[in-house]
Amino acid sequence: MEEKTSRNFIEEIIDGDLESGRTQRVVTRFPPEPNGYLHLGHAKAISVDFGLAEKYGGSCNLRFDDTNPVKEDTEYIDAIKRDIEWLGYRWERECYGSDYFQYMYERAVDLIRNGLAYVDDLTPEQMREYRGTLTEPGRESPYRSRTPEENLELFERMKNGEFPDGSRVLRAKIDMASPNLNMRDPAIYRIVHAEHHRTGSDWVIYPMYDFAHPLEDAAEGITHSLCTMEFEDHRPLYDWVVEHAGVGQPPHQYEFARLNLSNTVMSKRYLKKLVDDGVVEGWDDPRMPTISGIRRRGYTPEAVRDFCERIGVAKAVSEVDIRLLEHCVRSDLNEHADRLMAVLDPVKLTITNYPDGQTEMMEAENLPGSGRTHEMPFSKHLYIEREDFREERPNKKYFRLYKGGEVRLKNAYIIKCEDIIKDADGRITEILCTYDPDSKSGMPGADRKVKGTLHWVDQEHAVPARVRIYDALFTENELGEKDLNPESKRELNGVMVEPEIRHLDPGARLQFMRQGYFVQDSVLSSPDSLVFNKVVGLKDSYKPPAA
Ligand code: ATP
Ligand code: MG
């Protein structure tokens, strides 16, 4: 791709901070909540967080935001780490929000001592009511005037598990009349009697995100805390917490637009539902917009990074055409994937004038320009693609095989169709051809040209396989809503692949000539029963949006 010369707005901020001396070394963090698998939206955040640290010679922490005990699972933690590593990034430190529970508790106690936090006994409904609206100021809770001593005692008792869930919260004492609702005495601690995956039953009070996040950033010396636009209104609260409860160098928060992609949905909660309802085969179903899904599908980390680079970082929200990602995958595979022949829907072809029992080895190039080659057996009995044959030539632009017509078999001979055999239902079961022995590819005197060239495989040596072909998981209706696409997966049985497949790395992404890019499915494929996923087709339909 072309060199990017202009800086994005975060790079401008960082350059300014390095110049002014606010920061000497860029430290960022990627803070996933371990409540699901990462999706392509996270890939964007990862490329921003890790990418900027890399670019500026700084570092990025991986921090699991595990402050909500009920939804989290170690399965997700392992999956998240695997995905980040697959994308090619390395974290400096692996941190957990729960590492800071004691520290955050102490910061909260400090706030109480300084008269900046209080225990509130209002019910959640009352609290909503007291909160006011965008046009009306809130009202102060009757418990707001509790003394620090009273609050310290109550908070201690909250911590000791004396009160049921939801009966009390600790609130920051800020401003019930603030035009920003987040500043109207937000809750910073709540009571949850639940087992935490790392701290067990040590705690029954848990910090709220808006309190925990800035403190974690401050504790880790994060210089640029990058998040998505929905946190823009939370920034004043972030700064308030840093100012009144933080220690060390104050971190700064900056927001950028979420990635939205056409024909798919990116929300862990929604994707989890697809998994739980059995709509897909799992988080790594090749149709899923998860990192594990696209990995199994055969996308490359290089293509995903290229995609993130191209979509860039901005504040304006927009929906990116999923075909741009496919375009990046195709460009990468076009340069790197070895070429092979596979017949997806085979029909038998017999060369009547070719010697019985003879096999020739034809030379085939692996990757154009690479100089690497392999051999393909060729004999009297072959398969070609059913759709490459018509009984009659439909029009002058048709150059594939038809009765009486000639084509070249790629890397082999020119053949002519002489006759066909049909079964009782009129379906073609065999195509009978003759070949021109002087037309072998690469031989002197083989310069006779025919317009059509077809791929083929030798019947005796062909390796049978299954192929899965995918379409978008969602279609978009007239209202712009996303509906589940009932035809997002198609499976072809009886595919025939040239025997070279036996010599290739099972994880190799390949181009099946004229068909697209394919990879063996990492879950379903085995040496005895090959199963391929179609990664992406050959034709590029991506059009950049008009500027
Ligand atoms: P989801 O709604 O899918 O659960 P989330 O925002 O709750 O996503 P987190 O685990 O909290 O997910 O996110 C970790 C980081 O990834 C956050 O900084 C978040 O802003 C970022 N992120 C999540 N989704 C996107 C997206 N679509 N585009 C860009 N960044 C995203
Ligand atoms: Mg979340």
Side-chain angles (χ1 to χ4, degrees):
M1 68 167 291
E2 72 276 19
E3 254 328 286
K4 240 185 60 188
T5 46
S6 65
R7 299 173 302 167
N8 67 45
F9 80 98
I10 302 175
E11 291 166 343
E12 285 173 7
I13 290 169
I14 293 177
D15 287 339
D17 288 344
L18 290 169
E19 225 163 89
S20 74
R22 180 176 90 77
T23 324
Q24 277 77 51
R25 183 167 179 272
V26 174
V27 185
T28 59
R29 86 289 167 267
F30 173 64
E33 189 180 347
N35 61 348
Y37 282 54
L38 299 183
H39 50 62
L40 284 163
H42 295 109
K44 173 175 176 177
I46 288 169
S47 94
V48 173
D49 294 327
F50 284 91
L52 285 171
E54 211 166 69
K55 176 168 179 183
Y56 284 92
S59 60
C60 181
N61 291 347
L62 169 60
R63 186 198 308 140
F64 290 103
D65 170 22
D66 61 350
T67 52
N68 179 0
V70 287
K71 290 186 297 182
E72 293 149 7
D73 199 318
T74 42
E75 176 200 344
Y76 300 136
I77 290 179
D78 296 339
I80 289 169
K81 293 202 278 191
R82 198 159 54 233
D83 290 348
I84 299 171
E85 285 176 334
W86 180 74
L87 285 171
Y89 293 109
R90 298 285 168 265
W91 49 90
E92 173 112 330
R93 291 171 55 195
E94 179 180 329
C95 307
Y96 292 80
S98 53
D99 294 341
Y100 306 98
F101 282 165
Q102 180 62 30
Y103 163 76
M104 291 189 278
Y105 172 74
E106 288 164 15
R107 312 298 347 121
V109 167
D110 264 5
L111 282 182
I112 296 173
R113 282 212 183 91
N114 295 330
L116 291 171
Y118 61 98
V119 173
D120 199 347
D121 303 358
L122 290 183
T123 65
E125 298 74 52
Q126 287 171 322
M127 232 189 286
R128 249 193 305 282
E129 193 196 314
Y130 274 71
R131 197 161 178 243
T133 63
L134 280 172
T135 49
E136 278 170 57
R139 279 181 294 140
E140 295 186 353
S141 161
Y143 303 100
R144 197 176 200 263
S145 51
R146 280 177 168 156
T147 63
E149 291 68 36
E150 216 178 329
N151 284 316
L152 283 173
E153 193 209 315
L154 283 169
F155 190 48
E156 171 92 24
R157 291 176 61 195
M158 277 171 66
K159 176 179 179 260
N160 292 341
E162 292 184 30
F163 308 122
D165 289 6
S167 59
R168 286 183 165 84
V169 292
L170 183 71
R171 298 178 73 173
K173 197 172 189 174
I174 308 180
D175 179 5
M176 287 307 291
S178 171
N180 183 337
L181 269 67
N182 295 306
M183 298 298 272
R184 294 184 188 170
D185 291 8
I188 58 175
Y189 260 94
R190 60 191 178 128
I191 302 172
V192 186
H193 289 265
E195 192 70 12
H196 186 280
H197 73 110
R198 292 185 82 235
T199 58
S201 52
D202 291 354
W203 296 88
V204 296
I205 53 170
Y206 289 92
M208 304 297 286
Y209 176 89
D210 282 331
F211 184 63
H213 207 83
L215 290 182
E216 292 155 0
D217 285 347
E220 289 171 24
I222 302 302
T223 56
H224 298 81
S225 179
L226 310 168
C227 62
T228 36
M229 288 309 289
E230 68 271 22
F231 293 102
E232 195 178 26
D233 288 347
H234 296 240
R235 197 206 284 201
L237 177 53
Y238 181 97
D239 290 339
W240 186 94
V241 172
V242 167
E243 185 186 340
H244 294 97
V247 289
Q249 174 114 326
H252 286 200
Q253 174 184 300
Y254 301 98
E255 309 86 16
F256 60 91
R258 287 181 94 81
L259 168 66
N260 296 313
L261 272 178
S262 65
N263 297 92
T264 191
V265 173
M266 282 183 298
S267 138
K268 275 180 286 183
R269 200 162 45 105
Y270 190 88
L271 296 174
K272 183 169 191 310
K273 191 164 154 32
L274 294 181
V275 174
D276 292 344
D277 293 352
V279 173
V280 294
E281 290 169 26
W283 284 99
D284 66 349
D285 185 299
R287 294 164 293 177
M288 288 279 269
T290 51
I291 310 280
S292 49
I294 61 168
R295 173 169 63 232
R296 184 170 162 196
R297 172 80 171 260
Y299 286 19
T300 61
E302 292 77 16
V304 179
R305 288 176 70 144
D306 179 23
F307 170 71
C308 290
E309 187 72 26
R310 288 180 195 226
I311 57 177
V313 182
K315 281 186 167 283
V317 182
S318 66
E319 188 174 83
V320 176
D321 190 335
I322 190 122
R323 287 174 299 181
L324 174 59
L325 176 59
E326 293 167 359
H327 170 86
C328 295
V329 173
R330 188 180 294 110
S331 315
D332 185 24
L333 296 185
N334 180 42
E335 276 180 44
H336 299 111
D338 277 353
R339 275 57 169 166
L340 228 61
M341 293 196 215
V343 178
L344 300 191
D345 180 16
V347 59
K348 286 182 175 170
L349 184 147
T350 304
I351 302 173
T352 53
N353 61 339
Y354 194 85
D356 283 326
Q358 177 175 313
T359 299
E360 268 179 89
M361 298 311 279
M362 302 299 183
E363 187 171 86
E365 207 174 20
N366 294 14
L367 183 65
S370 70
R372 288 182 295 115
T373 59
H374 65 274
E375 293 189 320
M376 283 184 78
F378 179 95
S379 75
K380 190 182 182 91
H381 302 287
L382 309 174
Y383 291 116
I384 65 162
E385 209 71 69
R386 186 171 284 279
E387 66 163 29
D388 280 338
F389 181 79
R390 298 279 188 94
E391 254 185 280
E392 279 171 40
R393 189 178 194 188
N395 57 58
K396 285 266 185 302
K397 285 193 191 136
Y398 181 88
F399 298 113
R400 302 184 197 183
L401 194 58
Y402 57 94
K403 212 164 148 182
E406 278 189 324
V407 292
R408 175 175 290 283
L409 295 177
K410 175 84 180 168
N411 300 329
Y413 297 99
I414 293 174
I415 56 165
K416 180 177 182 194
C417 174
E418 308 285 356
D419 206 355
I420 50 176
I421 300 174
K422 292 182 182 178
D423 64 14
D425 302 325
R427 185 175 158 85
I428 297 170
T429 53
E430 197 172 340
I431 301 167
L432 303 177
C433 298
T434 51
Y435 84 120
D436 171 358
D438 296 327
S439 65
K440 186 170 171 178
S441 297
M443 295 296 278
D447 41 14
R448 186 156 74 85
K449 292 268 184 297
V450 289
K451 282 246 172 158
T453 301
L454 305 184
H455 62 277
W456 53 275
V457 295
D458 184 66
Q459 277 181 37
E460 189 193 338
H461 300 91
V463 179
R466 280 185 289 152
V467 160
R468 298 172 136 209
I469 296 179
Y470 304 100
D471 199 349
L473 201 45
F474 295 89
T475 54
E476 241 140 280
N477 65 26
E478 316 77 58
L479 299 170
E481 296 161 346
K482 302 188 187 197
D483 296 324
L484 216 49
N485 177 5
E487 278 152 30
S488 56
K489 182 172 74 182
R490 206 153 52 88
E491 188 160 312
L492 306 176
N493 291 304
V495 171
M496 294 293 173
V497 187
E498 67 163 289
E500 176 64 9
I501 191 68
R502 292 274 183 230
H503 302 126
L504 299 176
D505 170 5
R509 298 158 183 96
L510 304 164
Q511 185 192 102
F512 289 166
M513 291 167 89
R514 300 177 61 226
Q515 297 291 4
Y517 296 97
F518 294 81
V519 70
Q520 282 190 51
D521 187 275
S522 54
V523 176
L524 302 173
S525 196
S526 70
D528 300 332
S529 170
L530 299 183
V531 181
F532 289 89
N533 292 321
K534 182 168 179 177
V535 185
V536 69
L538 295 174
K539 266 246 264 331
D540 197 339
S541 57
Y542 175 70
K543 292 203 182 54

